């Protein structure tokens, strides 16, 4: 269907690379232009780590690969928490699960990772049990349904990073999209949809 088309994925650099690698197998020409980066909330991370020190057992829920990256970076300074945080995990999808295993490997851990049948917040909600302790590692733009469910079950909600749009790259996409009349885009998250809306505003203003 898309063999002569150009698709521009709107996401972070690592997610772009994973998508592009798979799509190119189908003969599609893919441009990798990351338009989303992130800023981690170091103070919140420290507070949550202090809370986890007091818990005997916890299941970590990762809503994105970026959440795994942020936690992994922070654990290099507090490796004693790696086993507790990475031992039992629910990952929103296979790429997030793979990232969990990569990070866990750096701490010589072999995590038990579950992936919901539906790779969505709803899929995660269906796996949460009321009798267990959970910490949900996510972005500041976490799905509202998941946030409300976390509150009802007293889960620890950890919005540890804020997605940031790269306006320079967005403007580059606009120029190239107009030049080559690009028709197909890949949206990997709600934030990538926001990037698209910002891109349209820049285009017509």
């Amino acid at each position: 269907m898309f063999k002569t088309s150009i698709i521009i994925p709107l996401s972070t650099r690592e997610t772009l690379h994973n998508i592009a690698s798979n799509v190119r197998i189908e003969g599609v020409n893919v441009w990798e232009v990351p338009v989303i980066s992130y800023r981690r909330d170091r103070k919140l991370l420290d507070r949550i780590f202090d809370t986890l020190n007091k818990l005997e057992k916890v299941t970590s829920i990762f809503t994105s690969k970026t959440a795994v990256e942020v936690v992994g970076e922070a654990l290099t300074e507090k490796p004693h928490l790696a086993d507790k945080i990475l031992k039992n995990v629910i990952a929103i999808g296979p790429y997030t699960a793979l990232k969990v295993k990569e990070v866990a490997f750096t701490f010589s851990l072999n995590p038990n990772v579950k992936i919901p049948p539906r790779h969505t917040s709803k899929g995660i909600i269906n796996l949460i049990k009321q009798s267990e302790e959970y910490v949900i590692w996510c972005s500041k733009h976490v799905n509202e349904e998941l946030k409300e469910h976390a509150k009802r079950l007293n889960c620890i909600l950890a919005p540890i990073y804020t997605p940031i749009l790269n306006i320079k790259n967005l403007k580059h996409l606009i120029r190239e999209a107009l030049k080559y009349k690009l028709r197909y885009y890949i949206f990997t998250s709600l934030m990538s949809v926001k990037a698209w809306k910002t891109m349209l505003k820049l285009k017509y203003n």
Side-chain angles (χ1 to χ4, degrees), residues 184-202:
Y184 300 104
Y185 299 81
I186 295 176
F187 299 95
T188 62
S189 65
L190 288 176
M191 190 62 184
S192 66
V193 175
K194 181 179 179 180
W196 171 258
K197 291 179 179 178
T198 302
M199 182 174 165
L200 292 179
K201 289 180 181 178
L202 292 171

Side-chain angles (χ1 to χ4, degrees), residues 86-114:
L86 300 174
K87 187 174 183 178
N88 293 296
V89 171
I90 295 175
I92 196 167
Y95 286 121
T96 302
L98 180 60
K99 190 64 180 180
V100 169
K101 292 177 181 178
E102 289 177 358
V103 172
F105 180 78
T106 64
F107 296 98
S108 301
L109 298 173
N110 184 24
N112 173 33
V113 183
K114 295 180 180 178

Side-chain angles (χ1 to χ4, degrees), residues 93-161:
Y95 286 121
T96 302
L98 180 60
K99 190 64 180 180
V100 169
K101 292 177 181 178
E102 289 177 358
V103 172
F105 180 78
T106 64
F107 296 98
S108 301
L109 298 173
N110 184 24
N112 173 33
V113 183
K114 295 180 180 178
I115 303 173
R118 295 172 61 186
H119 305 158
T120 62
S121 294
K122 187 70 174 181
I124 288 175
I125 289 171
N126 291 337
L127 288 182
I128 296 177
K129 301 176 182 178
Q130 193 165 4
S131 59
E132 297 184 14
E133 295 277 1
Y134 294 92
V135 56
I136 303 175
W137 307 99
C138 56
S139 82
K140 299 288 185 181
H141 304 300
V142 63
N143 176 275
E144 287 298 323
E145 185 178 7
L146 180 57
K147 184 188 295 185
E148 289 303 313
H149 194 75
K151 288 180 181 178
R152 286 197 298 271
L153 296 183
N154 293 318
C155 300
I156 300 171
L157 193 65
I160 52 175
Y161 70 95

Side-chain angles (χ1 to χ4, degrees), residues 1-157:
M1 179 179 178
F2 299 135
K3 290 197 179 292
T4 60
S5 304
I6 299 176
I7 300 177
I8 304 179
L10 299 171
S11 189
T12 58
R13 183 176 300 277
E14 187 168 358
T15 300
L16 285 179
H17 182 69
N18 288 331
I19 293 173
S21 298
N22 286 292
V23 175
R24 285 194 179 105
I25 295 174
E26 303 298 325
V28 180
N29 182 20
V30 182
W31 289 358
E32 296 182 53
V33 183
V35 297
I36 301 173
S37 58
Y38 65 86
R39 179 177 62 250
R40 70 176 185 173
D41 188 334
R42 181 56 186 269
K43 290 183 179 179
L44 179 60
L45 273 165
D46 287 341
R47 289 201 302 270
I48 292 173
F49 280 180
D50 288 342
T51 298
L52 294 181
N53 269 322
K54 304 170 187 176
L55 298 178
E56 183 177 342
K57 182 181 178 182
V58 68
T59 296
S60 285
I61 298 174
F62 289 100
T63 62
S64 67
K65 287 179 61 180
T66 301
V68 182
E69 292 171 17
V70 173
V71 171
E73 290 171 4
L75 284 175
T76 58
E77 299 176 14
K78 298 190 177 181
H80 64 284
L81 285 173
D83 182 65
K84 183 177 291 185
I85 292 174
L86 300 174
K87 187 174 183 178
N88 293 296
V89 171
I90 295 175
I92 196 167
Y95 286 121
T96 302
L98 180 60
K99 190 64 180 180
V100 169
K101 292 177 181 178
E102 289 177 358
V103 172
F105 180 78
T106 64
F107 296 98
S108 301
L109 298 173
N110 184 24
N112 173 33
V113 183
K114 295 180 180 178
I115 303 173
R118 295 172 61 186
H119 305 158
T120 62
S121 294
K122 187 70 174 181
I124 288 175
I125 289 171
N126 291 337
L127 288 182
I128 296 177
K129 301 176 182 178
Q130 193 165 4
S131 59
E132 297 184 14
E133 295 277 1
Y134 294 92
V135 56
I136 303 175
W137 307 99
C138 56
S139 82
K140 299 288 185 181
H141 304 300
V142 63
N143 176 275
E144 287 298 323
E145 185 178 7
L146 180 57
K147 184 188 295 185
E148 289 303 313
H149 194 75
K151 288 180 181 178
R152 286 197 298 271
L153 296 183
N154 293 318
C155 300
I156 300 171
L157 193 65

